[in-house]
Amino acid sequence: MSRISVDVVVVGGGQGGLGTAYYLAQAGLDFVVLERGRLGETWLSQRWDSFALNTPNWMNGLPGAAYNGPDPFGFMTHAELAGSFEEYAERFGLPVRTGVTVTGVGPSDGGGRYLVVGETNDGEQVLYEADSVVIASGILQSPRVPPVSSKIPDHVVQLHTGSYKSPEVLPEGAVVVVGGGQSGAQIVEDLRGAGRPVYFSISKAPRLPRRYRGRDFMDWWLEMGLWDVETDDVDDPTILTTTNPLVSGVGPLGHSVSYQQLARDGVRLMGRLEDVVGDEMFTDDKVVEYMRNADNKSEELRDKIDLFVEERGLTAPPPDSDPADRSLAIDEHVDYLRRLNLTEADVGTIIWCTGFTADFSWIDLPVTEATGKPVHHNGEAPVPGIYFIGFPWLSKRKSGVVLGIGEDAQHISELILEHHNPVPSRVADTVGHEQA
């Protein structure tokens, strides 16, 4: 089979791949973007029907195409975002090939180039040879489900976040949602909105007020410089793996999400799932601790915003409150469960909102750790000509959202240009200046 020779192959047609493609096109390089499904496939296939982005519209413009719609502070749906990707690729004439799943990336026969192997939806194999490869496939490839799932009785249907679509298509009965992070809480709200009985196994996840003192917290983060915190400057490595905060983009201006508000809305809270024995689910007894942890994180941000407003002398509305942010009194009884009988509770479905893992097993190059985690510095892998883009903390906090794609894509494109057209004289000039 003949090989198609290009300068660069970009694997993935989401925001990372398209943002990189924009700069590669501006540089006049010969490249192709390979996408396994449709543009924005992960947004389309791994989100539920009522899902709305958690980032305001003003944050969702790609390089060369800032958001200029009528609702900058609203929240688009996942389908609307994917639609904007289609328009973006057409507007800039980006060479995208959809319906091609990349199954291998490795060294070519020689000359320091790379062979990219793909398979079309029709089963045809395609081969590309390139000087550089940009891995923009994200880190949401493989659903992560805990081993305890094997103990769930056969009469209970099990789903993962990535396959949940709506309450209407689930079996009758109550639903248990396991995983107390952002997606879990949003799915719980979706289920309760449809009148489903819901049991929610929560955990130590932070939450933030959606809006405070007249602005979305993400807007405050931008002005306070929190989006631009660089990965290299983070002293506490646990920050790099912190669960996304409990907020939602559903509604005209989104809204805050809290465990206590869910409880007030009729959700039965449970602790972190520890074991399943027969029909019985057992959890820890740290529900109140998890609630207080979330309360504290919300209060910390409020305090930081108050201090920022005061120090900068900004004009802002006075401190306000949000019903969902209202804490439970310390001495108030919190009605939660440590044990749940699935049959007695008429549970028909368990939804595992326990995250995803990245799968880079198709890359036959030393660019991942033993755990499969990519090895890179600001997107540049230790193997010349291989780059990553499109996941949290690639170079900064904002790397994992559309807002941060532009900077990362421009940086990686510049590295690709240097790799494609090295300029040895730069090194010689630098040495000469240092010696002088």
Side-chain angles (χ1 to χ4, degrees):
M1 179 176 293
S2 62
R3 301 180 181 185
I4 302 171
S5 180
V6 293
D7 295 328
V8 188
V9 172
V10 179
V11 182
Q15 61 265 27
L18 294 177
T20 304
Y22 171 84
Y23 286 108
L24 295 178
Q26 296 293 307
L29 291 177
D30 182 20
F31 69 97
V32 65
V33 178
L34 302 179
E35 166 55 50
R36 62 185 173 89
R38 302 155 290 181
L39 290 183
E41 180 63 36
T42 298
W43 289 103
L44 291 168
S45 60
Q46 294 184 359
R47 303 296 190 276
W48 53 97
D49 294 348
S50 67
F51 178 87
L53 270 67
N54 297 307
T55 50
N57 293 333
W58 63 264
M59 293 179 62
N60 300 322
L62 287 170
Y67 178 82
N68 63 354
D71 189 16
F73 302 108
F75 298 83
M76 65 180 70
T77 67
H78 56 303
E80 289 171 334
L81 181 68
S84 74
F85 291 169
E86 293 278 359
E87 295 172 1
Y88 185 81
E90 182 176 355
R91 173 180 173 182
F92 293 105
L94 302 179
V96 174
R97 187 171 180 182
T98 57
V100 177
T101 300
V102 173
T103 58
V105 174
S108 186
D109 298 332
R113 307 195 84 204
Y114 299 102
L115 182 65
V116 179
V117 182
E119 183 175 318
T120 70
N121 290 343
D122 296 327
E124 176 190 358
Q125 189 179 66
V126 294
L127 301 176
Y128 286 89
E129 194 173 60
D131 294 317
S132 300
V133 180
V134 181
I135 311 300
S137 53
I139 55 174
L140 302 180
Q141 297 103 337
S142 301
R144 184 173 60 221
V145 178
V148 72
S149 63
S150 64
K151 298 183 177 182
I152 300 297
D154 292 339
H155 65 83
V156 178
V157 172
Q158 299 185 59
L159 299 176
H160 185 268
T161 310
S163 56
Y164 168 74
K165 295 304 176 186
S166 71
E168 291 73 28
V169 299
L170 298 182
E172 294 183 359
V175 182
V176 176
V177 175
V178 180
Q182 191 176 91
S183 295
Q186 292 174 357
I187 287 177
V188 166
E189 287 192 320
D190 195 42
L191 294 166
R192 281 302 300 155
R196 283 299 190 101
V198 181
Y199 297 88
F200 190 17
S201 173
I202 68 174
S203 59
K204 189 178 180 180
R207 69 177 173 83
L208 298 175
R210 176 82 265 181
R211 296 184 64 81
Y212 183 60
R213 302 194 69 170
R215 296 164 65 176
D216 192 280
F217 83 89
M218 293 194 176
D219 193 13
W220 283 117
W221 271 17
L222 184 66
E223 187 165 349
M224 296 165 69
L226 298 179
W227 279 120
D228 288 309
V229 174
E230 297 185 4
T231 307
D232 291 341
D233 293 337
V234 173
D235 295 326
D236 181 3
T238 62
I239 294 176
L240 306 180
T241 56
T242 299
T243 303
N244 288 330
L246 299 175
V247 293
S248 173
V250 173
L253 292 175
H255 64 276
S256 304
V257 179
S258 69
Y259 294 144
Q260 51 264 41
Q261 184 62 51
L262 294 176
R264 286 190 285 263
D265 291 340
V267 176
R268 296 300 303 275
L269 299 180
M270 305 168 62
R272 184 189 293 271
L273 180 60
E274 292 186 329
D275 200 4
V276 176
V277 180
D279 268 7
E280 303 278 348
M281 298 184 74
F282 296 90
T283 72
D284 65 25
D285 61 351
K286 298 181 179 180
V287 167
V288 174
E289 178 182 325
Y290 298 148
M291 283 184 167
R292 288 175 178 166
N293 173 73
D295 289 346
N296 291 338
K297 295 300 182 183
S298 180
E299 191 61 32
E300 284 177 13
L301 179 60
R302 290 169 178 267
D303 290 343
K304 287 180 180 178
I305 293 173
D306 290 341
L307 181 61
F308 183 76
V309 169
E310 180 181 353
E311 290 181 343
R312 297 295 180 92
L314 302 178
T315 300
D320 51 351
S321 60
D322 184 324
D325 205 41
R326 190 173 76 248
S327 300
L328 292 169
I330 292 178
D331 59 351
E332 182 178 347
H333 173 67
V334 180
D335 184 19
Y336 69 91
L337 303 174
R338 286 202 62 194
R339 178 175 179 172
L340 177 68
N341 186 291
L342 298 172
T343 300
E344 292 177 359
D346 191 30
V347 172
T349 310
I350 291 178
I351 303 177
W352 300 100
C353 298
T354 44
F356 294 82
T357 58
D359 179 11
F360 296 112
S361 59
W362 45 274
I363 305 177
D364 188 22
L365 295 165
V367 294
T368 58
E369 299 177 352
T371 60
K373 180 181 177 181
V375 178
H376 70 93
H377 181 257
N378 294 340
E380 184 177 15
V383 175
I386 303 296
Y387 310 91
F388 292 95
I389 191 172
F391 47 82
W393 292 104
L394 185 86
S395 65
K396 296 181 178 180
R397 173 181 265 123
K398 65 183 178 184
S399 293
V401 297
V402 181
L403 176 70
I405 291 299
E407 288 185 23
D408 286 341
Q410 184 174 19
H411 172 68
I412 287 171
S413 298
E414 290 171 352
L415 292 175
I416 290 173
L417 280 173
E418 292 178 5
H419 177 70
H420 187 71
N421 297 306
V423 185
S425 60
R426 290 181 182 175
V427 177
D429 289 344
T430 301
V431 174
H433 285 304
E434 289 178 351
Q435 290 176 344

